[in-house]
Amino acid sequence: MFLTLRLLGNRHPSFIARTVFVKNNNVDDACRLLNRILGKEGILEQFRLTRHYEKPFQTRRRVNHEKCKAIYNEDMERKIQFVLRKNRHEPFPGCQ
Amino acid sequence: MLSALRNKFRVSVNTFVRSFQTTAPVATERFDLKRIPADDEGVQGEKIIDLDSVLKQKRNIFPTLESDKELHDGILYKDLPICNIRVTHNNTIFTLTSAEGAVKIIRSCGMEGFKNTKKGTNIAAQTTAISIASKAIDKGYKTIKVRVRGLGPGRLSAVKGLTMGGLQVVSVTDATHVSWNPPRPRKARRL
């Protein structure tokens, strides 16, 4: 409830979101953790994308490229999982 | 001598081969279901470990509603002075303000003597950070919270430089303005 009240007063209250406490004076770790979270949430990506206007043809190209990459990554992941599989019913199939 | 060795070798090979007598596989042998391992929880868990384990291990690493009232060096967290760092590709600007936002000290890489492209380097950011830290200590600020805005080469080294200058950084906040439905940005650079 207090949080909602605080949010009502200010849409972007500072030092609540995107904040990491520094532990044991280890600033490097805190910064890296913050950056990793920002990267994972896609905030940095969005920031970079909106620096300059992206023409529609560029958007189309980017989206298509992302699609292709996702398909490739998915299939490659599946292939790697297949090759690395260890829990086979028969440890050496076809060698009887 | 050699022949003796050879004999020895042959014997050993013979015994080796003999030990590998196999029987034909029995077709009637039933497959033991117990040999199939149950769905491995470990594999699924490993993917989760990636970032979440770090977050789970270090508790109290993110602010809560109570963290405003925590004492840091005898000062409430919300009353700590703030060091705003504006990081761009071409410059890094440090502004030390009180908790309310009144500016106390302002330094930038350009003021520090770095000119033109040298302003936007991480070394410039670090030296500026150290100089503003010493100035802040002269004015009596010891513990601060840091708010970083923007992306650039000086992003990490700026915060590091503040600690190297002797200030104690309590928390690092990112305040980069990011919008998912922004007004039309400026046109792309032509390189």
Side-chain angles (χ1 to χ4, degrees):
Chain A
M1 196 195 115
F2 289 110
L3 187 66
T4 48
L5 274 178
R6 202 168 152 178
L7 287 170
L8 275 174
N10 181 2
R11 289 285 293 277
H12 301 285
S14 47
F15 302 105
I16 278 284
R18 295 197 239 161
T19 301
V20 175
F21 278 116
V22 178
K23 294 285 169 194
N24 311 324
N25 245 339
N26 200 344
V27 174
D28 233 21
D29 262 11
C31 279
R32 226 172 281 144
L33 178 64
L34 185 65
N35 286 350
R36 197 158 44 153
I37 291 166
L38 291 175
K40 221 178 178 189
E41 299 278 323
I43 291 171
L44 297 183
E45 192 194 349
Q46 178 66 17
F47 179 77
R48 287 195 195 101
L49 277 176
T50 50
R51 283 310 87 196
H52 296 291
Y53 179 69
E54 195 179 34
K55 285 185 179 174
F57 90 92
Q58 286 164 330
T59 314
R60 251 181 282 131
R61 275 187 62 172
R62 180 173 54 83
V63 169
N64 282 344
H65 185 252
E66 278 167 12
K67 274 182 191 166
C68 293
K69 228 169 126 181
I71 290 167
Y72 176 85
N73 283 345
E74 194 190 341
D75 277 4
M76 186 50 84
E77 179 64 25
R78 204 175 294 147
K79 191 174 177 181
I80 289 168
Q81 284 306 319
F82 175 71
V83 172
L84 292 178
R85 191 156 64 103
K86 290 174 202 146
N87 308 335
R88 292 178 201 279
H89 301 182
E90 292 296 331
F92 303 106
C95 295
Q96 286 188 351
Chain B
M1 181 67 197
L2 260 176
S3 58
L5 253 179
R6 208 178 290 146
N7 278 340
K8 220 176 192 176
F9 182 65
R10 200 173 289 151
V11 166
S12 67
V13 163
N14 282 347
T15 49
F16 185 68
V17 168
R18 250 179 239 138
S19 69
F20 257 82
Q21 281 189 343
T22 49
T23 51
V26 188
T28 52
E29 193 185 337
R30 285 185 65 195
F31 183 74
D32 193 0
L33 284 171
K34 276 178 195 165
R35 274 165 66 191
I36 312 172
D39 269 12
D40 235 353
E41 276 299 312
V43 178
Q44 276 194 334
E46 268 168 11
K47 278 174 192 168
I48 302 164
I49 283 168
D50 177 25
L51 194 121
D52 293 336
S53 74
V54 181
L55 305 185
K56 268 180 196 167
Q57 278 167 17
K58 300 174 187 168
R59 280 176 196 164
N60 309 327
I61 205 163
F62 300 115
T64 54
L65 283 172
E66 282 75 45
S67 56
D68 264 2
K69 292 156 198 157
E70 276 172 24
L71 281 173
H72 294 279
D73 211 9
I75 311 166
L76 287 175
Y77 178 67
K78 62 173 181 178
D79 293 336
L80 280 172
I82 308 164
C83 184
N84 293 291
I85 307 173
R86 174 87 176 98
V87 187
T88 58
H89 280 295
N90 294 326
N91 206 351
T92 312
I93 303 170
F94 296 78
T95 322
L96 195 86
T97 69
S98 65
E100 293 79 40
V103 178
K104 304 292 177 189
I105 312 169
I106 183 162
R107 297 296 288 177
S108 72
C109 291
M111 289 162 80
E112 210 52 36
F114 295 94
K115 287 294 166 201
N116 304 330
T117 47
K118 282 174 202 152
K119 282 187 300 183
T121 57
N122 50 359
I123 299 157
Q126 195 164 315
T127 45
T128 314
I130 290 168
S131 87
I132 198 179
S134 58
K135 277 195 172 58
I137 287 166
D138 286 346
K139 284 207 171 186
Y141 300 106
K142 261 184 173 176
T143 38
I144 50 159
K145 41 189 182 182
V146 171
R147 184 154 55 181
V148 189
R149 186 149 71 90
L151 290 183
R155 192 179 155 91
L156 219 145
S157 55
V159 187
K160 216 196 283 176
L162 287 176
T163 48
M164 282 163 73
L167 283 174
Q168 203 187 347
V169 177
V170 170
S171 71
V172 183
T173 308
D174 176 79
T176 314
H177 295 319
V178 186
S179 174
W180 264 257
N181 48 355
R184 180 169 169 151
R186 63 182 298 167
K187 72 171 181 181
R189 289 177 68 192
R190 283 163 58 168
L191 298 168

